[in-house]
Amino acid sequence: MSTRTDPQEYPGTNRRIVLYGNPALRTITAPIREITPEILRLAADLQATLKASEGIGLAANQIGVPVSAFVLAPWQADVDLPLTFILNPEIIRTEGLIEEEEGCLSLPGIFEVIPRPEMVEVRGIDLRGHEIHLQATGLLARAIVHEFEHLRGILFIDHISELRRQLLQARLNALQETELRQCG
């Protein structure tokens, strides 16, 4: 059995991001009880997949793994922080509300204006098992809430009006059919 504890020791694999319609996106994820080699490999895969997608954040269930973890690339939001993994995140405070356009790697090509907190404070644990505490504003705050909601089976389109959803229905159906074909 491996005794590796450094996530950088694991080569990451660019995994397929599941699309709208995949049940993993509606799954409430399980908390992580222990940082095992499997969790470190998952983190490496999340990192590789996020890098390949050029996104700002990616939740574990977006690659089909129903555990409570996400990764952020803060520099994509012009924030000078390194790649950040948050396991078992909890949002402990929000302030303000701002409406801006948002998209999702699991719903490619779909962008909608939705309200999100202007500031968010989140805590969780990092890949070494230490508590992590992060306060963010703007785009990074939006990304944190977006990924946090993924872990609860909530998609950003759940925040749009029924009329907007009806207008998107053909595109959502097409994504769902693509996902069904890819999953077989």
Side-chain angles (χ1 to χ4, degrees), residues 90-109:
E90 298 174 62
I91 291 181
I92 54 176
R93 189 167 68 99
T94 64
E95 285 182 11
L97 202 62
I98 189 163
E99 291 192 7
E100 288 190 2
E101 190 175 71
E102 190 168 318
C104 179
L105 296 170
S106 292
L107 289 101

Side-chain angles (χ1 to χ4, degrees), residues 62-92:
Q62 285 184 274
I63 60 170
V65 182
V67 298
S68 187
F70 63 75
V71 61
L72 298 167
W75 61 87
Q76 296 282 27
D78 293 325
V79 175
D80 188 21
L81 287 173
L83 193 75
T84 304
F85 291 92
I86 303 179
L87 314 180
N88 301 335
E90 298 174 62
I91 291 181
I92 54 176

Side-chain angles (χ1 to χ4, degrees), residues 23-40:
L25 295 176
R26 294 298 187 178
T27 300
I28 297 172
T29 59
I32 294 170
R33 304 273 181 229
E34 181 182 0
I35 300 172
T36 62
E38 291 77 21
I39 293 298
L40 295 176

